[in-house]
Amino acid sequence: MRGAEMQHDGAIEETHGPDWRKLPTRTLQSVVPEREMARLIGVSIVTARRMRTEARGPRHIRIDGKRYGYRLADIYAWLDSRSAGGQASA
């Protein structure tokens, strides 16, 4: 996982960037907005939206007419499915 590590309790611990310990606990079932999903996978918001409309990105949830969210579990599963070659780090 790029920049994050999963703890035994299912919470996500960020290894780079903001100090997530000062924010409410996030679990794999937490839903993040599209902009946060784009940041987590390393693409622009425009690319993230294109990926959603072309069904090429992580599974999404329609929050209302124009807003979409993403479960952290779905983001990390999508990233894992895109892994190619090499060996996983312990």
Side-chain angles (χ1 to χ4, degrees):
M1 286 185 280
R2 182 189 298 166
E5 295 178 6
M6 187 170 29
Q7 297 175 351
H8 293 291
D9 63 0
I12 301 300
E13 179 182 324
E14 195 72 18
T15 56
H16 302 288
D19 184 357
W20 294 104
R21 292 171 294 213
K22 295 179 181 174
L23 298 175
T25 301
R26 292 165 38 150
T27 67
L28 290 175
Q29 293 306 310
S30 296
V31 175
V32 297
E34 195 160 49
R35 187 169 302 277
E36 176 72 3
M37 182 277 294
R39 187 190 69 76
L40 287 169
I41 68 169
V43 300
S44 72
I45 187 67
V46 172
T47 298
R49 288 177 181 148
R50 186 177 309 120
M51 290 170 72
R52 174 178 41 82
T53 60
E54 295 173 357
R56 294 187 301 119
R59 292 176 47 185
H60 62 275
I61 301 165
R62 182 176 227 147
I63 296 172
D64 61 29
K66 293 185 178 181
R67 293 186 318 150
Y68 294 87
Y70 297 80
R71 283 189 184 93
L72 288 174
D74 292 333
I75 295 169
Y76 291 123
W78 181 81
L79 286 169
D80 285 343
S81 75
R82 310 231 353 126
S83 295
Q87 293 189 5
S89 59

